[in-house]
Amino acid sequence: MLLLREANNSSDRGLVCAWHSNPIVFAGFYTIRKPLTWEEHYHWWFEVSKNWKKFMVVLIEDYTFREIGFIRIAPLEDFSPQTAVTIGEVSLWGKGYGKQALQLALDWLRDKGYKHTHTSILSNNWRAIRLYESLGFKQYGEAREGEQWYQRKL
């Protein structure tokens, strides 16, 4: 079972930075060509993400709670906030946790009254493309060179 809990600025930041520094994980990010330094991550967490909703993805197994991923929804004042999911625990890829987590994020958006959401995905990130399309996201063109724009009505 999965749940989302609001990310804590002090205790969760380090874990998310570690996930984003994993070469397998950051290969799917458009703007990151190398692992983030602690200073870059700190700036991203506190400055870039001010109007974001940040959630930790928590796996519950046998009464054990384990953080396995991160979801961000931004900007909140947009009629169609961007939704992004990262399952940072690479050993858990392919087990459906990304889909479950993204569905929880879509439910949260719907409960908050949003009508649309979007994301952008690297053209060669077939895992993410398959994930988002499985939940009804449709491709609407190129966001930036090598990156596709997907949108979904809630």
Side-chain angles (χ1 to χ4, degrees):
M1 180 175 139
L2 288 186
L3 64 84
L4 299 183
R5 72 160 173 79
E6 197 160 341
N8 182 295
N9 284 336
S10 57
S11 61
D12 295 325
R13 183 181 64 230
L15 183 56
V16 174
C17 182
W19 290 333
H20 287 181
S21 296
N22 180 330
I24 296 169
V25 174
F26 73 70
F29 298 156
Y30 185 83
T31 56
I32 302 174
R33 291 169 290 287
K34 62 177 180 50
L36 290 173
T37 65
W38 183 252
E39 292 78 18
E40 290 167 331
H41 190 75
Y42 187 89
H43 175 74
W44 173 80
W45 188 273
F46 286 108
E47 297 302 323
V48 176
S49 66
K50 282 183 180 177
N51 292 327
W52 296 4
K53 191 67 171 176
K54 297 177 258 187
F55 292 106
M56 298 302 288
V57 179
V58 181
L59 174 63
I60 305 170
E61 290 181 312
D62 301 322
Y63 305 102
T64 303
F65 291 69
R66 176 181 173 201
E67 286 78 9
I68 64 165
F70 178 71
I71 289 187
R72 71 170 177 80
I73 301 172
L76 295 176
E77 64 273 5
D78 196 342
F79 80 96
S80 175
Q82 183 176 26
T83 306
V85 61
T86 300
I87 299 300
E89 295 296 329
V90 178
S91 65
L92 297 177
W93 285 9
K95 298 188 184 302
Y97 294 128
K99 186 173 186 173
Q100 290 177 52
L102 186 53
Q103 184 61 60
L104 290 171
L106 296 175
D107 293 345
W108 182 89
L109 282 161
R110 191 177 304 103
D111 290 347
K112 295 296 181 188
Y114 291 97
K115 304 293 184 208
H116 298 89
T117 186
H118 74 276
T119 196
S120 53
I121 305 171
L122 290 178
S123 300
N124 64 356
N125 190 345
W126 59 270
R127 284 180 167 278
I129 291 169
R130 204 169 62 205
L131 166 64
Y132 280 86
E133 286 181 348
S134 77
L135 287 170
F137 281 77
K138 304 288 185 215
Q139 182 180 348
Y140 284 94
E142 192 172 70
R144 296 180 279 198
E145 184 178 340
E147 184 181 48
Q148 300 303 310
W149 180 274
Y150 287 80
Q151 193 160 345
R152 183 181 191 271
K153 187 173 182 173
L154 298 167

